[in-house]
């Protein structure tokens, strides 16, 4: 990616992000939001965040790998349990990384 | 030890300090534990950016202009693969759609403010700032005119930490990126955000539908898989909502 393309992408992404942040804060109370949009927005966080996570865990080097041998999948599942039980971001990061390093060390010694 | 604890608990401001300053400091204090979690995230972004061939100025540019860590991290592989401007912007848009939702729930609290205040506070609207303030605001623990200052304190503390952690990550980059699998921080951060977003059957259905769709759609070009899977997830949530309502009737 050339320097120009990079900055175009970053400025574009920045402008879009700011517009998303400001849009409803500026508009609500002045304009009616269509009820269907309001209902749909409720499911955006759960849907988007899961759609980002799952491929990162189940694909290894571009190939689908749903097995116990997939260290990232196992560490990710463990991190999900930690997130569910504690809601503590620091524990999720620490526990997930520790799990991955441990699994990688075991994998190498086998 | 006791004195330190006391100092941390009491707000040591001169008696003459304005309520605005007190609210600003209270906002900063409230976010300190979250900053600890933000550090490794920012380090990982900086290190991955350096590893993807970005200069320090480019990495900092992303943190200043986008100021949304998850989207920044997700954009890095696209940038190093030479994706088009449209693909990068569209991916960031989809990942940051949730910020619009936060805006919707924050809007009543910022309603009396002039537009420039709304703009300033909107720039600081992040997962962390939202999570740290919305419950207080909804419960009336922080009241007008203090809300803006409380939120600004929270936002500025997050912003400063994010930029500092990004830069540290860039400079440590080469030393910490190889072999430590730090790129795994990306899915971990998303897991930490996703799990609390799954609150009930309907949001659970949205996550499940999106997750399954994402597995099958991952090979679609232009990162369309993410957008498609997110759409399937939203439809899944709406469908479950309709089903649940019908069963009640």
């Amino acid at each position: 990616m050339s320097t120009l393309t990079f900055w175009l992408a970053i400025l574009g992404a920045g402008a879009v992000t700011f517009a998303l942040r400001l849009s409803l804060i500026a508009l609500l109370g002045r304009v009616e939001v269509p009820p269907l949009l309001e209902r749909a927005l409720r499911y955006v966080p759960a849907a988007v965040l899961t759609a980002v996570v799952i491929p990162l865990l189940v694909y290894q080097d571009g190939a689908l790998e749903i097995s116990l041998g997939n260290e990232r999948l196992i560490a990710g599942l463990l991190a999900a349990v930690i997130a569910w039980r504690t809601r503590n971001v620091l524990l999720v990061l620490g526990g997930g990384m520790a799990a991955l390093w441990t699994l990688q060390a075991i994998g190498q010694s086998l | 030890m006791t004195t330190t604890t006391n100092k941390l608990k009491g707000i040591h401001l001169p008696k003459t300090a304005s309520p605005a300053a007190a609210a600003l400091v209270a906002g900063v204090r409230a976010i300190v534990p979250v900053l600890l979690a933000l550090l490794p995230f920012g380090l990982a972004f900086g290190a991955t950016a350096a590893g993807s061939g970005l200069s320090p100025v480019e990495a900092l540019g992303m943190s200043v202009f986008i100021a949304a860590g998850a989207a920044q991290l997700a954009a890095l592989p696209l940038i190093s693969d030479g994706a088009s401007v449209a693909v990068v912007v569209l991916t960031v848009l989809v990942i940051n759609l949730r910020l619009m939702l936060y805006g919707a729930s924050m809007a009543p609290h910022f309603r009396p403010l002039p537009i420039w205040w709304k703009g300033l506070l909107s720039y600081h609207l992040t997962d962390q700032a939202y999570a740290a303030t919305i419950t207080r605001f909804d419960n009336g623990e922080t009241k007008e005119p203090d809300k803006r200052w409380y939120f600004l304190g929270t936002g500025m503390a997050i912003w400063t930490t994010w930029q500092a952690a990004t830069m540290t990550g860039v400079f440590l980059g080469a030393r910490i990126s190889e072999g430590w699998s730090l790129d795994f921080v990306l899915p971990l951060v998303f897991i930490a955000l996703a799990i609390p977003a799954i609150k009930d059957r309907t949001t659970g259905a949205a996550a499940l539908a999106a997750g399954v769709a994402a597995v099958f759609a991952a090979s679609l070009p232009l990162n369309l898989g993410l957008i498609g899977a997110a759409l399937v997830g939203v439809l899944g949530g709406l469908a479950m909502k309709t089903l649940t309502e019908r069963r009640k009737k």
Side-chain angles (χ1 to χ4, degrees):
Chain A
M1 192 175 254
S2 74
T3 312
L4 178 68
T5 326
F6 172 83
W7 285 108
L8 277 178
I10 296 319
L11 289 176
V16 159
T17 303
F18 183 68
L20 288 171
R21 286 173 159 141
L22 180 63
S23 56
L24 294 184
I25 287 178
L27 289 179
L28 281 190
R30 291 165 186 243
V31 195
E32 281 293 314
V33 179
L36 182 66
L37 177 67
E38 213 179 322
R39 282 179 63 183
L41 273 177
R42 208 176 102 73
Y43 303 110
V44 168
V48 171
L49 297 169
T50 315
V52 174
V53 172
I54 298 297
L56 291 173
L57 296 182
V58 300
Y59 282 89
Q60 297 295 295
D61 303 318
L64 188 60
E65 173 88 47
I66 303 180
S67 72
L68 284 176
N70 182 343
E71 292 143 358
R72 289 179 176 234
L73 178 58
I74 306 301
L77 289 176
L78 186 79
V81 173
I82 298 175
W84 175 46
R85 303 303 303 184
T86 71
R87 299 284 151 102
N88 183 324
V89 184
L90 208 54
L91 278 180
V92 175
L93 290 182
M97 288 312 298
L100 182 67
W101 290 332
T102 311
L103 289 167
Q104 283 173 341
I106 294 171
Q108 274 163 16
S109 66
L110 285 182
Chain B
M1 192 61 212
T2 333
T3 27
T4 327
T5 323
N6 285 342
K7 262 186 194 162
L8 279 175
K9 272 181 186 165
I11 296 177
H12 287 266
L13 281 171
K15 286 253 156 64
T16 49
S18 68
L24 190 87
V25 172
V28 174
R29 274 165 198 273
I31 203 69
V32 168
V34 179
L35 299 182
L36 287 176
L38 202 59
L39 277 176
F41 186 15
L43 282 175
F45 169 72
T48 315
S52 312
L54 266 65
S55 69
V57 175
E58 288 175 332
L60 196 64
M62 286 183 78
S63 283
V64 168
F65 287 116
I66 304 178
Q72 287 175 227
L73 258 172
L76 283 180
L78 300 174
I79 290 166
S80 54
D81 285 354
S84 69
V85 171
V87 170
V88 176
V89 173
L90 208 60
T91 303
V92 168
L93 178 118
V94 171
I95 293 177
N96 284 342
L97 261 180
R98 68 186 193 289
L99 298 175
M100 197 173 165
L101 180 86
Y102 300 161
S105 97
M106 205 49 103
H109 301 292
F110 295 160
R111 205 171 160 183
L113 301 181
I115 186 67
W116 66 270
W117 258 110
K118 287 179 178 170
L120 176 66
L121 297 181
S122 293
Y123 174 66
H124 287 292
L125 187 61
T126 56
D127 296 299
Q128 292 81 4
Y130 175 76
T133 54
I134 190 65
T135 318
R136 282 189 71 87
F137 288 2
D138 281 349
N139 293 345
E141 288 166 65
T142 303
K143 291 188 172 65
E144 273 311 305
D146 289 345
K147 283 176 187 169
R148 70 192 78 172
W149 296 105
Y150 190 94
F151 190 87
L152 188 64
T154 305
M156 288 194 323
I158 291 170
W159 190 89
T160 313
T161 308
W162 183 245
Q163 309 304 334
T166 298
M167 285 326 281
T168 313
V170 169
F171 290 115
L172 292 177
R175 256 163 286 176
I176 55 178
S177 57
E178 281 305 310
W180 285 36
S181 305
L182 263 192
D183 59 314
F184 194 56
V185 168
L186 174 62
L188 289 178
V189 165
F190 276 101
I191 287 168
L193 295 174
I195 299 293
I198 301 169
K199 294 172 203 153
D200 49 27
R201 284 164 67 108
T202 53
T203 42
L208 188 66
V212 172
V215 173
F216 292 105
S219 56
L220 290 178
L222 305 176
N223 228 27
L224 280 175
L226 172 63
I227 298 157
L231 263 177
V232 171
V234 169
L235 290 176
L238 287 171
M240 178 57 89
K241 176 86 178 163
T242 314
L243 270 178
T244 323
E245 277 172 0
R246 261 196 209 147
R247 214 171 282 165
K248 273 183 195 156
K249 276 174 194 168

